[in-house]
Amino acid sequence: MMKIHRVGLLISLLLFLGSSLSMQGCTPQGSDPEGLLQTTLAGLAGLEQLHFKGRSAVQNLDTGMYSAELHYTGELRSHTLLSMTVNKGRDKKRPPRFAQSGDPADGFQAKMEYKSGTWKALQEGYADSTWLSGYNPLQELSLIGSADKHVSEELGAARGTRVLRVELDPQAAYTRCRELLQQQMEQLKYELQEPAGELYTGDEAGRKKLLGIWEKERRMLEALLDQSTVNSVYYVTVRNSTGLPVKLLSERRVTYQDQAGRKHDEMLRSEVSFSFTAVR
C-alpha cells in the first residue's frame, strides 16, 4: 500500500505539470529588451549565493477555478550547488517533514549540482532532480535564454526596475513541455523497475501491477500531448541597480481534448521571488 500510495503522489505531481501541458552593475537604460535579458541571465553566473521562494497553481480557464497548488523554496551555494523543496500548498501551516531515508512526508526534496549545462542529482537518498525540474527557476531562466522567443518590455514597471515579457515560440513551448513530461515518466519507470529505484519492490506481482499503472498513465499522457497546443509567457523583473532578476512570473497555457472529446483550457501560473548575495 505504501508503494502504491507514493506512486500516486508521484503521478499526481507529474500530471500537475502535464495539466498545463559574470556581468554586474547598473542596467543599461537604453539597452534593447533582448540585450537586457541576455545581460540579466549572464549576471546570474556571478552569484555565490541565491535564495528563491515560489508557488505554482493550475487554473481552469473555463471556470476560473484554481487547483493543485504547490509551494517551493531553493537555496544556491558556491555557484552550482542547489537545494530545493516542494510541498503541497494546502499544508501552508504545516512545516515540511522528511524521513531519514529522504522520503518526504509532505512533498519532495532534492540536492542538485549544475554540470555541463544541466542540473543533476547530487546526493543519494533524496528525490531525483527530474521530479523538481519544472519548478527550478534557474533552469527555466537558462532555457529561456537559449529558446526561440520574442522579447519586449512592459510599461508601468515599479521605480528602479524594468519588466521584460518573454514569449516562447509555440513550437519551443510545446517541445519544452513535452520533453519535461517524458523525462519525468521515464524517471518514474526507473524508480519502479530497477532494484536501485526508490519505488522498487521485490514482490514481482506487485511490481507488475505498478508498472501497469505506469504504462496506462504514459499512454494517456502521450495521447493528450499529441493533440495539445502550448503557449508559454514569462515576465522577468530586473532591478536597475544590479541588472539581476528579482521576480519571475510565468504562464504556461495548455489546450487539449480528453479521451471523451471534451476540450480543456488550463494554465499553470507560477510566481518566484529572488534574493541574493553577489560576488564582489
Side-chain angles (χ1 to χ4, degrees):
M1 288 297 294
M2 182 62 181
K3 293 286 186 180
I4 295 178
H5 174 73
R6 191 170 180 209
V7 169
L9 177 60
L10 291 172
I11 290 176
S12 295
L13 177 59
L14 176 69
L15 295 182
F16 169 72
L17 285 171
S19 71
S20 31
L21 299 174
S22 300
M23 299 174 66
Q24 300 185 40
C26 294
T27 303
Q29 294 300 307
S31 61
D32 64 280
E34 174 70 32
L36 175 57
L37 176 64
Q38 296 304 325
T39 298
T40 298
L41 298 180
L44 288 174
L47 298 182
E48 176 72 19
Q49 298 182 24
L50 178 148
H51 294 79
F52 61 81
K53 181 178 181 180
R55 60 180 181 174
S56 298
V58 173
Q59 181 184 23
N60 184 317
L61 296 181
D62 295 321
T63 65
M65 299 295 292
Y66 284 88
S67 64
E69 183 175 352
L70 294 178
H71 291 231
Y72 43 96
T73 60
E75 180 180 10
L76 176 73
R77 290 186 177 275
S78 302
H79 298 288
T80 60
L81 303 178
L82 178 65
S83 298
M84 279 191 68
T85 61
V86 176
N87 293 280
K88 294 180 180 180
R90 67 167 180 255
D91 295 325
K92 293 179 181 179
K93 296 182 180 180
R94 184 180 180 187
R97 295 184 290 109
F98 299 92
Q100 291 182 353
S101 65
D103 180 20
D106 298 323
F108 291 88
Q109 183 182 53
K111 294 181 182 293
M112 294 167 273
E113 183 175 17
Y114 189 72
K115 283 186 176 181
S116 303
T118 188
W119 291 95
K120 299 290 187 180
L122 178 64
Q123 183 175 337
E124 294 184 358
Y126 290 85
D128 188 276
S129 58
T130 305
W131 302 123
L132 306 185
S133 58
Y135 305 101
N136 181 354
L138 302 182
Q139 178 170 290
E140 286 296 295
L141 286 168
S142 178
L143 291 169
I144 289 172
S146 60
D148 293 331
K149 58 189 173 295
H150 174 71
V151 185
S152 58
E153 185 167 358
E154 295 284 282
L155 299 177
R159 185 174 181 178
T161 67
R162 296 172 68 179
V163 178
L164 302 178
R165 182 183 186 276
V166 184
E167 181 170 3
L168 298 189
D169 176 85
Q171 185 58 47
Y174 175 81
T175 299
R176 162 62 177 155
C177 182
R178 184 165 197 138
E179 288 180 349
L180 175 63
L181 294 171
Q182 289 175 333
Q183 289 170 5
Q184 291 178 329
M185 284 300 292
E186 288 305 310
Q187 180 63 33
L188 177 57
K189 183 179 182 181
Y190 172 86
E191 300 292 348
L192 292 168
Q193 185 171 260
E194 299 300 323
E198 294 184 5
L199 301 177
Y200 179 83
T201 174
D203 180 358
E204 184 176 357
R207 189 166 64 252
K208 287 183 178 180
K209 181 177 181 180
L210 294 176
L211 287 171
I213 295 173
W214 177 87
E215 179 61 24
K216 179 180 178 181
E217 297 291 346
R218 185 195 67 80
R219 290 180 179 179
M220 182 178 72
L221 179 62
E222 290 293 336
L224 293 176
L225 288 171
D226 284 342
Q227 43 77 55
S228 297
T229 59
V230 182
N231 177 261
S232 295
V233 178
Y234 300 85
Y235 297 89
V236 185
T237 301
V238 181
R239 190 175 301 284
N240 293 339
S241 60
T242 63
L244 294 169
V246 293
K247 182 176 292 186
L248 174 66
L249 304 179
S250 65
E251 299 174 344
R252 179 182 296 162
R253 182 174 183 174
V254 180
T255 303
Y256 63 94
Q257 285 187 340
D258 61 24
Q259 295 177 324
R262 295 185 294 265
K263 183 178 179 181
H264 297 266
D265 196 4
E266 299 177 336
M267 181 176 291
L268 173 63
R269 298 184 185 272
S270 300
E271 178 178 349
V272 180
S273 58
F274 299 92
S275 60
F276 53 85
T277 300
V279 174
R280 298 299 183 185

